[in-house]
Amino acid sequence: MKFLLVAGARPNFMKIAPIMEAFRKRREDLKNLDVLLLHTGQHYDPKMSDGFFEDLHIPQPDINLGVGSGTHAQQTARVMIAFEEVCMRERPDWVLVVGDVNSTMACTITAKKLGIRVAHVEAGLRSWDMSMPEEINRLCTDVLADLLFTTDPIADANLRREGVAPEKIRFAGNTMIDTLLLHMDRARALPLPGGLRAGGFAVLTLHRPGNVDHRQTLCSLFGAIRDIAARIPVVFPAHPRTVGRLKEFGLLDQIQGENSIRLLDPLSYLPFIGLVTHSRMVLTDSGGIQEETTVLGVPCITMRPNTERPITCEIGTNILVGTDPDRIRAAAMAVLDGQTRPSSIPERWDGHAAERIVDALLA
Ligand code: UD1
């Protein structure tokens, strides 16, 4: 049996790491098990890629397609062309993709057209918002995949509603949380950046095109963030896309000049989780961070109109506030005033999702 595992962008790496490890353990008994790791190169900066491989002890990829950045069509097409050659050469029995980035969809389409079976990890998440490129990637991937591993029962229900045969759907749990549970003590023990004390700062991440690509939206978000920073220092590890836009809109110098907003380069996995663990709250437009904060018990204010991860709002620490600066301010001030609600951790986010996935694939 030959498995070809695909990772392409930053949020993929923590999802693939425990699956690689679960396969490594099984390979000790199963001599005819062949597992290859492929990196599409969608993310390529050391701070967006290599640091995660080092922190999470992910083996160096067997293959790197080196596709880099581009428009959606360019990036997707480059992945498809290069991945097709790999599939024709390697002839895997299964391709395994994770998450919802362009690489996920591109490799799924390519493999299926060559008659290769596809497993999708983190299937069934839906924001119902077709302006998000990730929603298109999720829909295309899930309609084609042969085995769909879900993180929660809401995702199972979404897939069933879309007509996916129940026997293809497996409620496995969350491999990103496998990684979090394995590494959080190591992350928590790291020193905080100078001048910060545990519980005395907020973390900000912002990178969605819908939030950062339009001057007016970005300015108005930073209006709210400045007001929050007047009460608590805000640490902001910034995505390269966001730094590019801040520069373009003439906001970068202003933000760098603010004492209470600390702009950092993107952080690798351990320092980032260390920061979140010790923070008072997180302000974000990321998907995965909504889940990590729920497990860590840190209040999360999500600056998006919708979420594909509603379970984090239903039982976790996540509050969806959209991009209205008044709502963002009010939610943050409520947290700072001690108004937090009880939260719990979703079922099967227990550190064993990758084992369940590998067992199902080998069965
Ligand atoms: C991608 C994913 C998104 C995920 C995000 C996490 C898609 C459609 N989007 O968005 O779901 O939340 O990754 O980061 O797949 N860049 C660099 N260095 C890099 C990579 C990117 O400088 O290593 C810059 C380039 O200017 C590039 C831009 O970031 O054009 C956007 O990168 P891209 O991979 O297209 O999408 P992300 O915004 O990172």
Side-chain angles (χ1 to χ4, degrees):
M1 274 289 242
K2 190 174 199 173
F3 291 88
L4 180 54
L5 274 51
V6 174
R10 183 169 63 176
N12 291 165
F13 305 135
M14 48 290 234
K15 294 169 195 167
I16 211 83
I19 303 175
M20 284 296 289
E21 177 57 16
F23 267 123
R24 189 193 63 75
K25 284 188 185 146
R26 296 301 298 269
R27 237 184 328 192
E28 288 169 5
D29 317 319
L30 297 171
K31 296 293 173 230
N32 63 347
L33 176 60
D34 200 358
V35 180
L36 292 177
L37 178 61
L38 178 139
H39 190 327
T40 64
Q42 176 173 344
H43 283 174
Y44 45 85
D45 278 346
K47 292 194 167 95
M48 301 292 283
S49 178
D50 297 359
F52 289 78
F53 279 73
E54 285 155 24
D55 280 1
L56 303 176
H57 308 303
I58 308 172
Q60 275 309 301
D62 300 285
I63 302 157
N64 193 323
L65 303 181
V67 299
S69 301
T71 65
H72 284 275
Q74 287 166 347
Q75 194 174 57
T76 307
R78 281 193 214 119
V79 174
M80 289 177 76
I81 293 166
F83 190 65
E84 187 179 53
E85 281 177 25
V86 172
C87 286
M88 290 198 296
R89 187 174 72 233
E90 299 292 342
R91 282 278 150 202
D93 297 292
W94 282 90
V95 163
L96 181 142
V97 295
V98 297
D100 57 14
V101 301
N102 285 344
S103 302
T104 311
M105 177 188 72
C107 292
T108 300
I109 295 174
T110 307
K112 285 301 290 179
K113 288 203 166 183
L114 292 170
I116 300 166
R117 284 171 292 179
V118 172
H120 182 208
V121 172
E122 203 188 73
L125 298 187
R126 296 290 180 267
S127 65
W128 319 109
D129 176 358
M130 291 293 249
S131 72
M132 281 181 82
E134 293 82 1
E135 185 72 356
I136 298 172
N137 294 340
R138 290 189 279 260
L139 285 163
C140 294
T141 303
D142 286 344
V143 85
L144 294 174
D146 300 275
L147 256 183
L148 299 97
F149 294 105
T150 58
T151 49
D152 64 53
I154 303 173
D156 284 45
N158 291 339
L159 293 171
R160 282 198 302 271
R161 205 177 312 119
E162 287 170 14
V164 177
E167 61 274 15
K168 288 183 172 180
I169 305 169
R170 306 291 166 89
F171 172 28
N174 193 325
T175 65
M176 196 187 63
I177 301 305
D178 291 0
T179 295
L180 180 66
L181 296 177
L182 186 66
H183 295 285
M184 69 184 189
D185 289 343
R186 213 155 52 103
R188 188 177 283 137
L190 291 176
L192 287 169
L196 297 178
R197 60 172 182 80
F201 62 93
V203 174
L204 167 69
T205 84
L206 204 58
H207 75 282
R208 294 256 156 238
N211 279 348
V212 306
D213 285 357
H214 308 284
R215 179 193 298 268
Q216 214 184 336
T217 313
L218 195 58
C219 284
S220 121
L221 286 173
F222 269 98
I225 288 156
R226 271 200 200 94
D227 292 342
I228 297 163
R231 271 193 69 181
I232 187 165
V234 173
V235 184
F236 177 28
H239 188 289
R241 169 198 285 279
T242 311
V243 174
R245 295 301 185 216
L246 289 171
K247 243 185 235 161
E248 188 185 326
F249 302 150
L251 289 168
L252 191 64
D253 289 344
Q254 283 178 37
I255 287 169
Q256 280 171 330
E258 300 259 354
N259 278 336
S260 52
I261 301 181
R262 192 178 312 182
L263 187 76
L264 304 177
D265 281 339
L267 294 172
S268 63
Y269 187 74
L270 291 175
F272 182 72
I273 293 296
L275 201 61
V276 170
T277 307
H278 290 298
S279 71
R280 182 78 178 270
M281 71 181 151
V282 174
L283 296 138
T284 191
D285 61 4
S286 151
I289 295 171
Q290 299 170 46
E291 298 182 340
E292 288 162 337
T293 45
T294 273
V295 171
L296 293 170
V298 172
C300 180
I301 295 172
T302 298
M303 299 177 291
R304 284 176 43 190
N306 50 53
T307 177
E308 61 290 331
R309 293 163 161 93
I311 199 153
T312 59
C313 298
E314 285 172 17
I315 67 168
T317 59
N318 192 17
I319 310 163
L320 197 61
V321 292
T323 52
D324 173 358
D326 291 336
R327 286 190 65 196
I328 297 170
R329 248 182 242 114
M333 297 308 166
V335 171
L336 293 177
D337 291 337
Q339 295 168 35
T340 50
R341 53 163 207 258
S343 65
S344 58
I345 297 175
E347 193 191 343
R348 295 196 199 168
W349 291 18
D350 58 0
H352 300 289
E355 291 158 23
R356 289 184 201 107
I357 288 167
V358 170
D359 285 349
L361 285 167
L362 294 179

